């Protein structure tokens, strides 16, 4: 499978727990994006990396959220002290840096905070 | 700030009908990119098309066609002879061109749910 891979696909956690999601982009893609999607809404941008550098973070990303891409390959998104409002689908996408490129998305991690 | 508006929340058509999904965008950038993505029930966003702001040519790909009009800030998507497999949520998205003119983060609309029935 050469697409974007996300793990786990589903996560149920208790409020206050920490969770970590992983994204493996398409291998030659140097850009990696994280989005969050709630029911009935379009995806909302959270953050993105070019290689290992985190170039932009959304104001939506509170200090409980942290993302890394240590070697410019896979990325992790951690949410500390989860809240019920964090329940959403977390989508990862990757692309090549360039003019005519498009982002390819993974199947997402659905987080439910109970 | 960028904004994408998809005013149609849900559309239902009978198979073989043509259907047009509307998309209106707002941006202050002179160079930008527009996209359409399809999200079937499985949840994965599937890329359909990208358009650059300096290329207003309409495009046709099989049963799909796109009408880009800068004068009205619209990028509408038409499916001809719809099929049940077209049932999905369709998102229009906008990306600013940062620094060197490359596409970057996407601003999505709220999506249009298309239901095609027999």
């Amino acid at each position: 499978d050469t697409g974007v891979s996300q793990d786990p696909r589903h996560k149920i956690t208790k409020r206050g727990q920490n969770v970590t999601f992983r994204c493996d982009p398409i291998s030659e893609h140097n850009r990696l994006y994280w989005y969050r999607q709630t029911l009935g809404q379009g995806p909302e941008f959270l953050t993105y990396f070019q290689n290992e550098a985190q170039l932009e973070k959304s104001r939506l990303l509170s200090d409980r959220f942290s993302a890394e891409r240590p070697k410019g390959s896979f990325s992790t998104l951690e949410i500390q002290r989860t809240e019920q409002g964090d329940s959403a689908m977390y989508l990862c996408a990757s692309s090549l840096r360039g003019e005519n490129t498009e982002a390819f998305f993974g199947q997402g991690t659905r987080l439910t905070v109970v | 700030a960028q904004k994408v508006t998809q005013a149609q929340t849900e559309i239902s058509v009978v198979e073989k009908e043509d259907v047009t999904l509307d998309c209106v965008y707002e941006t202050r950038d002179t160079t930008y990119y527009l996209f359409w993505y399809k999200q079937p029930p499985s949840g994965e966003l599937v890329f359909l098309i990208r358009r650059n702001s300096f290329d207003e040519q309409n495009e046709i790909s099989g049963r799909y066609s796109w009408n880009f009009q800068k004068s009205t800030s619209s990028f509408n998507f038409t499916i001809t002879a719809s099929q049940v497999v077209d049932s999905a949520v369709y998102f229009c998205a906008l990306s600013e061109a940062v620094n060197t003119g490359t596409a970057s983060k996407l601003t999505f609309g709220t999506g249009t749910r298309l239901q095609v029935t027999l």
Side-chain angles (χ1 to χ4, degrees):
Chain A
D1 186 8
T2 57
V4 178
S5 177
Q6 291 189 245
D7 184 69
R9 294 289 309 280
H10 303 273
K11 178 72 177 178
I12 299 174
T13 190
K14 290 184 179 179
R15 189 173 51 186
Q17 298 293 305
N18 299 343
V19 293
T20 301
F21 310 141
R22 176 180 171 123
C23 172
D24 287 89
I26 294 171
S27 59
E28 62 268 27
H29 285 183
N30 47 17
R31 284 192 171 175
L32 186 148
Y33 303 81
W34 285 99
Y35 291 83
R36 179 172 66 190
Q37 185 179 21
T38 53
L39 200 62
Q41 300 296 314
E44 294 176 300
F45 169 77
L46 294 178
T47 188
Y48 90 95
F49 294 83
Q50 183 164 297
N51 300 314
E52 65 275 9
Q54 189 172 19
L55 295 189
E56 188 173 349
K57 292 170 61 173
S58 165
R59 286 171 290 179
L60 293 175
L61 213 63
S62 77
D63 56 7
R64 296 185 297 106
F65 287 69
S66 62
E68 294 183 342
R69 194 182 183 197
K71 296 182 181 178
S73 57
F74 73 91
S75 174
T76 58
L77 177 68
E78 181 183 17
I79 309 174
Q80 296 182 324
R81 304 181 303 281
T82 52
E83 301 172 356
Q84 286 190 322
D86 297 331
S87 295
M89 176 76 85
Y90 289 84
L91 296 166
C92 176
S94 69
S95 73
L96 286 169
R97 178 183 178 275
E99 272 193 27
N100 295 315
T101 63
E102 54 273 6
F104 292 88
F105 283 79
Q107 291 185 300
T109 294
R110 182 168 295 285
L111 172 67
T112 302
V113 181
V114 297
Chain B
Q2 298 183 321
K3 186 178 179 182
V4 175
T5 301
Q6 294 180 257
Q8 303 152 309
T9 306
E10 190 161 348
I11 300 175
S12 292
V13 298
V14 176
E15 202 175 40
K16 298 183 184 176
E17 285 185 7
D18 299 346
V19 58
T20 295
L21 310 181
D22 298 333
C23 173
V24 174
Y25 63 91
E26 296 175 30
T27 180
R28 285 178 286 189
D29 296 321
T30 54
T31 303
Y32 51 88
Y33 301 87
L34 295 163
F35 302 80
W36 276 94
Y37 282 85
K38 175 182 180 180
Q39 190 172 42
S42 61
E44 184 173 347
L45 282 158
V46 177
F47 166 79
L48 296 177
I49 190 172
R50 175 197 62 250
R51 219 62 192 139
N52 305 335
S53 56
F54 43 86
D55 181 3
E56 283 193 74
Q57 281 191 341
N58 293 329
E59 184 158 337
I60 298 174
S61 176
R63 296 184 298 107
Y64 295 170
S65 62
W66 291 269
N67 182 3
F68 176 29
Q69 291 194 336
K70 287 179 78 169
S71 61
T72 55
S73 298
S74 65
F75 186 44
N76 297 337
F77 173 30
T78 297
I79 302 175
T80 302
S82 59
Q83 300 176 1
V84 172
V85 294
D86 296 328
S87 297
V89 181
Y90 290 86
F91 290 98
C92 180
L94 169 68
S95 174
E96 61 184 2
V98 294
N99 299 331
T100 56
T102 61
S104 181
K105 65 182 182 183
L106 296 168
T107 298
F108 285 86
T110 51
T112 297
R113 180 177 297 279
L114 175 64
Q115 186 73 37
V116 183
T117 56
L118 293 172

